[in-house]
Short mmCIF file of all heavy atoms in Angstrom, two decimals:
data_model
loop_
_atom_site.label_atom_id
_atom_site.label_comp_id
_atom_site.label_asym_id
_atom_site.label_seq_id
_atom_site.Cartn_x
_atom_site.Cartn_y
_atom_site.Cartn_z
N SER A 2 -94.79 -9.45 55.40
CA SER A 2 -93.75 -9.58 54.35
C SER A 2 -92.63 -8.60 54.56
O SER A 2 -91.50 -8.89 54.29
CB SER A 2 -94.37 -9.38 52.97
OG SER A 2 -94.92 -8.08 52.90
N GLU A 20 -76.91 -3.36 74.23
CA GLU A 20 -76.30 -4.61 73.85
C GLU A 20 -75.81 -4.62 72.38
O GLU A 20 -74.99 -5.39 72.00
CB GLU A 20 -77.28 -5.75 74.03
CG GLU A 20 -77.71 -5.91 75.50
CD GLU A 20 -78.73 -7.00 75.68
OE1 GLU A 20 -79.13 -7.59 74.64
OE2 GLU A 20 -79.10 -7.27 76.78
N THR A 32 -62.69 -12.61 66.26
CA THR A 32 -62.50 -13.19 64.93
C THR A 32 -61.72 -12.21 64.04
O THR A 32 -62.28 -11.47 63.27
CB THR A 32 -63.87 -13.48 64.30
OG1 THR A 32 -64.66 -14.19 65.23
CG2 THR A 32 -63.71 -14.32 63.02
N PRO A 36 -63.15 -10.35 59.22
CA PRO A 36 -63.41 -9.13 58.45
C PRO A 36 -63.16 -9.32 56.96
O PRO A 36 -63.82 -8.74 56.16
CB PRO A 36 -62.43 -8.11 59.02
CG PRO A 36 -62.25 -8.58 60.42
CD PRO A 36 -62.39 -10.07 60.42
N PRO A 52 -54.26 -3.19 51.11
CA PRO A 52 -52.89 -2.71 50.95
C PRO A 52 -51.85 -3.72 51.39
O PRO A 52 -50.81 -3.85 50.83
CB PRO A 52 -52.81 -1.45 51.79
CG PRO A 52 -54.22 -1.01 51.92
CD PRO A 52 -55.08 -2.23 51.82
N HIS A 138 -1.54 -10.15 -10.80
CA HIS A 138 -2.09 -9.18 -11.75
C HIS A 138 -2.67 -8.02 -10.96
O HIS A 138 -3.59 -8.19 -10.17
CB HIS A 138 -3.17 -9.85 -12.61
CG HIS A 138 -3.79 -8.92 -13.61
ND1 HIS A 138 -4.81 -9.29 -14.44
CD2 HIS A 138 -3.53 -7.62 -13.92
CE1 HIS A 138 -5.17 -8.29 -15.20
NE2 HIS A 138 -4.41 -7.25 -14.89
N ALA A 147 0.67 5.30 -11.28
CA ALA A 147 0.58 3.91 -11.70
C ALA A 147 0.32 3.03 -10.49
O ALA A 147 0.43 3.46 -9.35
CB ALA A 147 1.89 3.50 -12.39
N ALA A 160 13.51 -9.99 -5.27
CA ALA A 160 14.49 -10.97 -5.75
C ALA A 160 13.83 -11.87 -6.78
O ALA A 160 12.66 -12.22 -6.65
CB ALA A 160 15.04 -11.80 -4.59
N ASP A 169 14.75 -24.26 -7.96
CA ASP A 169 14.25 -23.60 -6.77
C ASP A 169 15.24 -22.53 -6.36
O ASP A 169 16.33 -22.85 -5.87
CB ASP A 169 14.06 -24.61 -5.63
CG ASP A 169 13.42 -23.97 -4.41
OD1 ASP A 169 13.08 -22.76 -4.48
OD2 ASP A 169 13.23 -24.66 -3.40
N ASP A 202 18.77 11.32 -11.22
CA ASP A 202 19.01 12.34 -12.23
C ASP A 202 19.11 11.77 -13.64
O ASP A 202 19.43 12.48 -14.59
CB ASP A 202 20.30 13.12 -11.91
CG ASP A 202 21.52 12.21 -11.86
OD1 ASP A 202 21.36 10.96 -11.88
OD2 ASP A 202 22.65 12.74 -11.80
N VAL A 258 43.03 -0.80 -24.40
CA VAL A 258 43.84 0.39 -24.55
C VAL A 258 42.93 1.59 -24.35
O VAL A 258 41.75 1.54 -24.69
CB VAL A 258 44.51 0.48 -25.93
CG1 VAL A 258 45.54 -0.64 -26.09
CG2 VAL A 258 43.49 0.41 -27.06
N PHE A 260 42.63 5.41 -21.69
CA PHE A 260 43.19 6.48 -20.87
C PHE A 260 42.88 6.20 -19.40
O PHE A 260 41.98 5.44 -19.05
CB PHE A 260 42.60 7.83 -21.27
CG PHE A 260 42.74 8.15 -22.73
CD1 PHE A 260 41.70 7.93 -23.62
CD2 PHE A 260 43.93 8.67 -23.22
CE1 PHE A 260 41.83 8.22 -24.96
CE2 PHE A 260 44.07 8.96 -24.57
CZ PHE A 260 43.02 8.72 -25.44
N GLU A 272 33.39 14.93 -13.18
CA GLU A 272 33.76 15.82 -12.07
C GLU A 272 34.69 15.16 -11.07
O GLU A 272 35.54 15.81 -10.47
CB GLU A 272 32.49 16.31 -11.36
CG GLU A 272 31.61 17.21 -12.23
CD GLU A 272 30.39 17.68 -11.49
OE1 GLU A 272 30.20 17.27 -10.33
OE2 GLU A 272 29.62 18.46 -12.07
N VAL A 279 33.93 10.14 -23.61
CA VAL A 279 34.43 9.73 -24.93
C VAL A 279 34.06 10.74 -26.01
O VAL A 279 34.89 11.09 -26.87
CB VAL A 279 33.86 8.33 -25.28
CG1 VAL A 279 34.32 7.91 -26.68
CG2 VAL A 279 34.30 7.30 -24.25
N MET A 296 46.29 22.22 -42.85
CA MET A 296 47.73 22.38 -43.02
C MET A 296 48.26 21.49 -44.14
O MET A 296 49.08 21.92 -44.95
CB MET A 296 48.45 22.07 -41.70
CG MET A 296 48.15 23.05 -40.59
SD MET A 296 48.94 22.55 -39.02
CE MET A 296 50.65 22.60 -39.49
N GLN A 306 53.09 23.82 -56.37
CA GLN A 306 53.64 25.03 -57.02
C GLN A 306 55.13 24.89 -57.24
O GLN A 306 55.66 25.27 -58.30
CB GLN A 306 53.34 26.26 -56.18
CG GLN A 306 51.88 26.67 -56.15
CD GLN A 306 51.63 27.86 -55.23
OE1 GLN A 306 52.58 28.37 -54.60
NE2 GLN A 306 50.38 28.33 -55.18
#
Side-chain angles (χ1 to χ4, degrees):
S2 61
E20 298 177 358
T32 311
H138 180 183
D169 185 2
D202 60 349
V258 293
F260 306 98
E272 294 181 357
V279 178
M296 294 176 61
Q306 290 177 359

